[in-house]
């Protein structure tokens, strides 16, 4: 019984979460399918959370998620539907004559459009099994998600559009990759403000901890994209434990030499909790200048 949250904690959680829960409930009612009891077809997919996550003068990265309609993974999200994904695009909304795809089927789609022209407006539509991806609810925020202009907003599948920026003046000097919040040692993601009802999400049994997987993938991508320098800007660990900072050093060393190819600064999570053995970032990354 001692593991159960106290009544005051439950009341505090309820008070803090009530607005979000009410909003989620209202959205669920509005989006509830008419034939709620009818099982989804085994080949049916829903493509959602479309976002334009990267935009540069010559390339763009578009992401979305595919799930099984009518399902719930226990966290209010559809069960992942592993399938192919592609983006069709062009310089006219009536002529999407270029296609970019993925290397393998997945539920978490990421497609990069390359060889784009600076200062050009492109129209695009993301698809999985022929289903057009619907934008994230945040698509009306200026400058993020679906595009940089309003074309296509208000529709379910677009096409949407973006305009590539002009390159900055001057010559290219170097490329810096920036990362933060690696959180080595963390075992549960999604914990919010120590609320007892927010249990978070943990890695599946038998798999490597997700901070290690994601950190190694970050280093690999930074090298693949030709970054000259890597800056790890805080929260290298989840709590300043020596083993976690040692593992972070091992992973970041995969990019190059510390103090020459990559640099590290300390974040608030890199301070150990009271009563535990502390290990400073500076002691694990000699020469970083972190205190």
């Amino acid at each position: 019984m001692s593991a159960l949250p106290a009544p005051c904690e439950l009341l505090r959680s309820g008070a803090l979460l009530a607005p979000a829960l009410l909003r989620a409930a209202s959205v669920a009612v509005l989006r509830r399918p008419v034939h709620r009891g009818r099982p989804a077809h085994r080949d049916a997919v829903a493509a959602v959370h479309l976002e334009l996550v990267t935009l540069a003068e010559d390339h763009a990265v578009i992401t979305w998620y595919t799930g099984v309609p009518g399902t719930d993974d226990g966290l209010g999200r559809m069960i992942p539907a592993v399938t192919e994904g592609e983006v069709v695009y062009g310089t006219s909304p009536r002529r999407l004559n270029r296609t970019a795809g993925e290397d393998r089927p997945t539920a978490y789609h990421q497609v990069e459009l390359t060889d784009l022209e600076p200062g050009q407006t492109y129209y695009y539509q993301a698809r999985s099994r022929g289903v057009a991806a619907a934008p994230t609810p945040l698509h009306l925020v200026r400058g993020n998600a679906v595009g940089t202009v309003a074309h296509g907003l208000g529709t379910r599948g677009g096409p949407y559009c973006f305009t590539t920026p002009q390159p900055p003046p001057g010559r290219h000097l170097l490329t810096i990759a920036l990362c933060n919040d690696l959180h080595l040692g963390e075992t549960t993601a999604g914990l919010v403000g120590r609320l007892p009802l927010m249990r978070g999400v943990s890695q599946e049994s038998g798999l490597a901890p997700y901070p290690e997987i994601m950190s190694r993938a970050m280093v690999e991508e930074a090298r693949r994209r030709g970054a000259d320098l890597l800056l790890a800007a805080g929260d290298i660990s989840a709590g300043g434990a020596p083993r976690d900072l040692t593992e972070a050093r091992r992973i970041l060393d995969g990019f190059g030499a510390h103090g020459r190819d990559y640099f590290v600064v300390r974040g608030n999570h890199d301070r150990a909790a009271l009563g535990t053995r502390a290990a400073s970032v500076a002691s694990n990354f000699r020469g970083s200048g972190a205190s």
Side-chain angles (χ1 to χ4, degrees), residues 80-148:
V82 177
T83 185
E84 74 284 349
E86 67 173 8
V87 174
V88 291
Y89 63 105
T91 55
S92 168
R94 293 173 293 278
R95 191 165 183 263
L96 307 180
N97 58 341
R98 298 173 66 178
T99 303
E102 297 171 296
D103 296 333
R104 56 183 176 81
T106 180
Y108 304 90
H109 303 274
Q110 176 176 306
V111 173
E112 183 169 6
L113 312 183
T114 57
D115 299 324
L116 304 181
E117 298 179 12
Q120 175 67 56
T121 297
Y122 290 90
Y123 300 83
Y124 71 96
Q125 186 179 66
R127 302 171 180 170
S128 288
R129 294 189 195 169
V131 176
T136 173
L138 297 178
H139 72 278
L140 293 179
V141 178
R142 180 176 176 81
N144 88 346
V146 177
T148 56

Side-chain angles (χ1 to χ4, degrees), residues 24 159 237 284:
S237 65
N284 282 269

